[in-house]
Amino acid sequence: MTTESPASTATTSPVEAPPAAPTGNPALLGLPAFLVGGIGLTLYLFGYLPAAAVGTLVPMTLVVSGLGLLVAGWWAIRIGQGAVGAIFTVFATFWLSYAYLVLSLVNDWLKIPADDTATAQATFLIGWLAVFAVLTLATLRLPLAFTTLFTLVTITVALVLVATLTGSTGLLTIAGIGAALFCLVAIYIFVDGMTQELGGPARSMGNPLVH
């Protein structure tokens, strides 16, 4: 009489391969979303968009820049790019809060007295100036193009802050130049990313300031 071992009668089930990790380049979404708000802000600072029509910036900054950067930030975190995800999410919250500030001032939601409007705007700008300055310092290990982008954003916010406190339209124009420059840098980084995604050569991003 013979017996069969359990090992000989057991059926071997195939081992399922783990699902493929998500991939891609979140900057291909994040940078264009950032640019829509940046270009709108540039036109406002230059005076092309009059103060009476500042509400035009709300759909640009809320729907496009804010939500677009949130999606890009989530995408980056999903593929393990924590630093990129944090950067995109920080900028998303900036644009979302900026859109809310504009809506609040236009519709008087926060009931801020007219004499205190400049102080309220300055408080908003001071908070974000600190964040952008820290972000710039914290990312000095990135290629120079990114440091340049963050530096220009920080300078632009600083100029808008001083212009808000002093009422200087000339400083707003200079801030508009800063905004135009950081938009150009963002365009350069986006074109590089898209070119590489389509099989082209990488453009120079510059060496990091800190190794």
Side-chain angles (χ1 to χ4, degrees):
M1 182 177 177
T2 59
T3 59
E4 295 182 356
S5 65
S8 63
T9 57
T11 56
T12 303
S13 59
V15 177
E16 294 185 2
T23 59
N25 185 356
L28 299 183
L29 170 62
L31 287 170
F34 171 82
L35 277 167
V36 172
I39 292 171
L41 180 62
T42 300
L43 295 175
Y44 172 71
L45 294 173
F46 276 138
Y48 176 81
L49 180 67
V54 69
T56 304
L57 294 178
V58 173
M60 301 174 72
T61 56
L62 175 64
V63 180
V64 182
S65 295
L67 297 184
L69 282 163
L70 277 180
V71 173
W74 172 84
W75 180 1
I77 293 170
R78 282 276 294 155
I79 62 176
Q81 297 181 5
V84 176
I87 291 169
F88 283 149
T89 305
V90 166
F91 276 104
T93 55
F94 167 73
W95 289 118
L96 291 171
S97 61
Y98 176 78
Y100 181 73
L101 177 65
V102 172
L103 279 173
S104 298
L105 294 176
V106 169
N107 296 287
D108 196 25
W109 289 347
L110 302 178
K111 306 301 180 183
I112 300 173
D115 293 341
D116 297 327
T117 299
T119 304
Q121 292 174 328
T123 301
F124 174 87
L125 292 167
I126 289 170
W128 277 109
L129 177 60
V131 170
F132 289 138
V134 171
L135 181 64
T136 301
L137 293 175
T139 54
L140 291 178
R141 291 183 181 276
L142 291 176
L144 183 60
F146 296 93
T147 302
T148 302
L149 174 63
F150 301 145
T151 301
L152 288 170
V153 169
T154 303
I155 292 172
T156 300
V157 173
L159 289 170
V160 174
L161 171 61
V162 176
T164 300
L165 291 173
T166 62
S168 171
T169 56
L171 280 177
L172 285 180
T173 301
I174 297 173
I177 296 173
L181 289 174
F182 73 61
C183 285
L184 289 174
V185 175
I187 290 171
Y188 179 83
I189 297 172
F190 169 73
V191 170
D192 171 69
M194 183 62 78
T195 300
Q196 292 189 60
E197 188 74 13
L198 298 176
R203 287 170 168 77
S204 174
M205 292 287 110
N207 296 323
L209 295 177
V210 175
H211 296 278

